[in-house]
Amino acid sequence: MELEASEVEAEKFKSKKTNITDSWMKKHSSIYKEATRHPFILSIRDGTIDSPSFKKWLGQDYIYVRAFVPFVASVLVKACNELDDSSDTDIILGGLASLNDEITWFKEEASKWEVSLTSVVPQRANLMYCSFLKSLMRSEIEYTVAVTAFWAIETVYQDSFSHCLEDGSKIPEELRETCQRWGNNGFGQYCHFLQNIVDRCLEKASIDIIAKAERVFITVLEHEVEFWNMSKGEI
Ligand SMILES: Cc1ncc(CNC=O)c(N)n1
């Protein structure tokens, strides 16, 4: 029986025992590195970040996380509509629930730094990223594509902030909590659970959905780079 191109593609990955997501991280290692070892992150790691840059990131990221909530909810809905509605929904629901505490943390952190969250004006890179999230919420966007974006978004922050916590870093004490929020091992484990979901979906996906998911993976990385650039940019 003739194998479909997608089955050949999937077989190739199965036999090589490399996940599709790992192959993407290698294939797109330069943009992945730009997103996870950005000068903004390195300035936190070496303690050279100035407080206006940190305060700018804090305000902008609060706006982003508010837009991230309905996006994660839309991924949960897509997961529930999948035929084999398996443990995916539990993991995604856990991610959604954690955003409640995250928003509380942003409000507390903002008052510590005297950032007024209500008067933050979303900058262009943030608006572009949030409208990209909104575009992925459309019902015609497949679950595999949406959950790929979700995994990529979480992994960029986990990889970035865990780098800040590694030995040899000189993060200022007042930034340690921020780094630990996304750099801790529990969040790392959660990102691996998301990565397993993505790889399982990709194994079953058609060749054109795999291509769509790969493009979305790259687009997330590009938006993350722009978001860090914005945070480092002029006030
Ligand atoms: C710009 C951006 N990307 C990823 C994350 C991490 N996800 C939720 O907190 C974030 N907070 N902000």
Side-chain angles (χ1 to χ4, degrees), residues 17 29 63 78 157:
K17 290 275 168 285
S29 58
I63 291 172
K78 289 177 167 56
Y157 262 45

Side-chain angles (χ1 to χ4, degrees), residues 199-235:
D199 280 319
R200 214 196 55 250
C201 290
L202 290 171
E203 294 298 327
K204 298 181 299 183
S206 66
I207 201 95
D208 66 303
I209 289 189
I210 292 174
K212 262 174 89 173
E214 184 174 4
R215 277 197 302 280
V216 158
F217 172 69
I218 296 162
T219 307
V220 163
L221 297 178
E222 289 166 343
H223 278 294
E224 289 290 344
V225 170
E226 289 311 314
F227 200 91
W228 295 133
N229 288 343
M230 166 194 71
S231 308
K232 218 167 146 50
E234 296 317 305
I235 302 294

Side-chain angles (χ1 to χ4, degrees), residues 55-72:
K55 290 164 76 166
K56 181 166 190 181
W57 167 81
L58 190 69
Q60 293 299 316
D61 209 42
Y62 171 73
I63 291 172
Y64 176 86
V65 169
R66 304 280 347 197
F68 189 59
V69 170
F71 166 71
V72 177

Side-chain angles (χ1 to χ4, degrees), residues 42 81 110 118 136:
L42 299 183
N81 292 336
T118 47
L136 296 174

Side-chain angles (χ1 to χ4, degrees), residues 108-146:
E108 286 161 359
E109 198 69 12
S111 66
K112 193 172 111 183
W113 292 85
E114 290 170 353
V115 170
S116 154
L117 293 179
T118 47
S119 55
V120 176
V121 177
Q123 305 278 295
R124 182 176 158 68
N126 202 352
L127 290 169
M128 306 265 285
Y129 200 173
C130 292
S131 59
F132 173 64
L133 287 182
K134 199 164 170 62
S135 75
L136 296 174
M137 291 171 62
R138 297 192 330 265
S139 54
E140 58 269 29
I141 300 294
E142 300 83 357
Y143 171 58
T144 298
V145 175

